[in-house]
Amino acid sequence: VHHAKRGSEEEVLPLEVWIETYAVDYFKSGPMIDQEFNPRIGEGTIRCYFVRDRIEGFGHQEVNALVPVVQPGPRLYFPPDRPDFQSLRRVAEAEWVPSLMDAVGVSPEELPMLWDIDLMYGQSRDYMLCEINVSSVFPYPESAMRPLAQAIRSRLSG
């Protein structure tokens, strides 16, 4: 067992001890999702910052708590036109977001003003979804500020 909490040590536990120690508390707060281990996690995560249904910036952060031998790097921010993220941007905006909206039954106008998705580099595919964040999207790239202000102004005047 390797808990994601920074500084945690890997442990070998019988299943019953793991359930008593970890699982009981986690299942109290909702379902637990088993995410496969990704050996490329040391290459960092990519965060796509959305204003409604458009990516307005990217973040890249190297490593996390699951890579104890490497110190966390800084989060770097990039504008939406960063060349090496354009294929990701096209797929996210044209395929992933419409699929997400269909799955949860929302229109582009009902999407959060500012939200993000975190991705890890995948093994057999380019990226692997790690999480979707809505309530704690800060800090975010400067490139998202103007589109966010415009979306808010449009919502307030509409």
Side-chain angles (χ1 to χ4, degrees):
V1 175
H2 191 159
H3 194 291
K5 184 177 176 183
R6 188 168 309 283
S8 294
E9 298 289 329
E10 191 170 299
E11 304 174 75
V12 177
L13 302 173
L15 180 60
E16 299 78 23
V17 174
W18 176 79
I19 290 171
E20 287 177 21
T21 307
Y22 296 103
V24 171
D25 288 338
Y26 290 122
F27 283 115
K28 284 180 187 174
S29 63
M32 181 184 282
I33 298 171
D34 180 22
Q35 185 171 19
E36 66 185 84
F37 177 74
N38 182 348
R40 293 184 67 190
I41 188 62
E43 295 174 51
T45 57
I46 302 299
R47 181 168 278 180
C48 302
Y49 292 90
F50 288 85
V51 172
R52 300 265 186 198
D53 60 346
R54 310 293 305 165
I55 291 178
E56 297 296 350
F58 293 97
H60 179 249
Q61 184 171 13
E62 294 180 350
V63 306
N64 67 23
L66 296 177
V67 187
V69 296
V70 182
Q71 292 300 311
R75 184 174 302 272
L76 305 172
Y77 297 97
F78 306 102
D81 58 355
R82 182 179 166 106
D84 55 334
F85 291 147
Q86 292 312 295
S87 62
L88 169 59
R89 183 180 181 192
R90 282 189 296 278
V91 170
E93 291 177 349
E95 296 176 27
W96 297 350
V97 172
S99 294
L100 175 65
M101 290 187 306
D102 286 345
V104 297
V106 298
S107 68
E109 297 77 29
E110 294 171 301
L111 286 170
M113 292 283 178
L114 181 65
W115 60 287
D116 67 62
I117 59 173
D118 290 349
L119 304 161
M120 294 182 281
Y121 293 103
Q123 290 182 38
S124 60
R125 49 196 186 275
D126 291 338
Y127 298 97
M128 186 177 165
L129 179 64
C130 182
E131 65 184 9
I132 299 172
N133 301 295
V134 176
S135 62
S136 300
V137 184
F138 186 82
Y140 51 88
E142 188 174 318
S143 60
M145 291 182 187
R146 183 177 302 269
L148 177 60
Q150 290 169 340
I152 292 170
R153 184 175 58 220
S154 174
R155 175 71 175 258
L156 293 174
S157 65

